[in-house]
Amino acid sequence: MTAGTTGTADDGFRGWREAAREALYGPDGFYRRPGAGPAAHFRTSVHASPLYARAVARLLCRVDEALGRPRALDFVDMAAGRGELVTGVLGALPADVADRVRPYAVELAARPDRLDGRIVWRDEPPEGVTGLLFANEWLDNVPVDVAEVDASGTPRYVLVRADGAERLGEPVAGPDAGWLDRWWPLPPEEGLRAEIGLPRDRAWTAAVETLERGAAVAVDYAHTAGARPPFGTLTAFREGRETAPVPDGSRDLTAHVALDACAAAPALPGARLLTQRDALRALGVTGGRPPLSLASSDPAGYVRALAAAGEAAELTAPGGLGDFGWLVQPVGAEGVLES
């Protein structure tokens, strides 16, 4: 990379936030393309096992109880992909809850064919939600700018071209500089990098503000103060493989989330951060192996239970999906993730 000062309209360089927004959500962006959707390029907890949707369904039932079983119970699936999670949740709900649920899928891509007719497909969440807003791997795809420390110790914006070439731009200033100072201070060491999470804080706050009563949950790759990665986390995925982050529309662009900053942004009481491992265990996903005696009394049941245990173990594995962060923000539905 060569250091520069600013990007210009004719040299193709611009900030990472602008470049990623167009590459992901522009007219020909990655998330607007028809076909199999994100599942063709990367695997989330939703795709790993139906146990995940069942756990979210149990969480929705807990929210329902905390709200006194309202006449209409909303479930909002943010960044819904092709509707896999909301479909799984609907299939896992008890009949008396399913009869009252209003399911929403929030996604920029077109509504998939053969999706359950009960699901309302929207490009933004509804207002006045009473129930659960669930955002699985949404915030990591909210585009952010990248900062890098130059030779003088000054954090500067990283500019990028559509082919992935980078150079440094102007010093980070204004609210972005304030965010870095509070949430991800960069020592004056050349080459250190950070992703400026202010747009994610604002996106999360806006999502929480759609709730009238209930809870909002964000699940993502995450880090917190004291354990920020020194060179940032910006990366990409294409066709099931991690690859270089190039904002050309051909791949997913993602960066881990400063989830503690998101938690503080709405300035509401009760926000809680925990790992996916702890959250899923509180929802009954343990990964325990079935007793060997079941193999004799019910061989088919033993095989099914063993497969479920393997899937649960993947969802809760240290060093993998189990280390994902869960941010739970109650709005009149406290204690829904207490074990």
Side-chain angles (χ1 to χ4, degrees), residues 43-50 52-53 136-137 219 276 280 315 321 324:
R43 190 167 179 260
T44 73
S45 296
V46 176
H47 309 122
S49 170
Y52 191 76
N136 186 71
E137 296 196 39
V219 182
Q276 174 155 299
L280 290 184
L315 290 172
L321 294 174
F324 270 47

Side-chain angles (χ1 to χ4, degrees), residues 57-199:
R58 284 193 288 274
L59 178 58
L60 179 59
C61 289
R62 291 188 183 186
V63 171
D64 182 42
E65 291 294 334
L67 297 179
R69 297 174 58 82
R71 178 182 298 180
L73 179 68
D74 298 318
F75 177 68
V76 182
D77 180 9
M78 292 291 295
R82 295 301 182 264
E84 298 96 335
L85 177 60
V86 64
T87 298
V89 168
L90 283 176
L93 290 172
D96 63 313
V97 179
D99 288 343
R100 293 182 287 113
V101 163
R102 296 185 299 196
Y104 298 90
V106 181
E107 181 58 70
L108 293 178
R111 181 188 181 97
D113 295 334
R114 297 184 294 278
L115 189 70
D116 190 315
R118 293 174 292 174
I119 299 170
V120 179
W121 195 264
R122 298 173 56 102
D123 60 5
E124 58 184 22
E127 297 291 334
V129 171
T130 297
L132 175 63
L133 181 146
F134 199 88
N136 186 71
E137 296 196 39
W138 167 52
L139 288 172
D140 67 293
N141 289 128
V142 173
V144 293
D145 276 311
V146 178
E148 181 175 320
V149 179
D150 69 10
S152 71
T154 301
R156 292 180 176 270
Y157 291 104
V158 178
L159 308 179
V160 63
R161 281 194 321 226
D163 62 3
E166 291 182 335
R167 67 176 176 86
L168 298 187
E170 295 288 350
V172 178
D176 287 345
W179 189 93
L180 281 181
D181 288 343
R182 180 180 180 188
W183 293 109
W184 198 335
L186 287 169
E189 181 180 334
E190 184 177 8
L192 296 183
R193 289 173 69 132
E195 290 100 29
I196 304 171
L198 186 59

Side-chain angles (χ1 to χ4, degrees), residues 19-34 41 82 107-109 247-253:
R21 185 189 297 117
E22 181 175 333
L24 294 176
Y25 306 116
D28 299 314
F30 178 83
Y31 278 103
R32 289 188 179 271
R33 295 182 174 185
H41 296 271
R82 295 301 182 264
E107 181 58 70
L108 293 178
D248 61 0
S250 72
R251 64 202 73 194
D252 178 43
L253 297 169

Side-chain angles (χ1 to χ4, degrees), residues 234-268:
L234 181 64
T235 190
F237 291 89
R238 182 172 60 187
E239 297 176 356
R241 296 179 180 272
E242 189 169 8
T243 186
V246 177
D248 61 0
S250 72
R251 64 202 73 194
D252 178 43
L253 297 169
T254 177
H256 295 198
V257 181
L259 211 52
D260 49 347
C262 293
L268 291 174

Side-chain angles (χ1 to χ4, degrees), residues 201-202 204-209 260-269 271 327 329 331:
D201 296 356
R202 291 171 173 166
W204 177 244
T205 298
V208 171
E209 287 176 346
D260 49 347
C262 293
L268 291 174
L327 165 55
Q329 177 63 67
V331 181

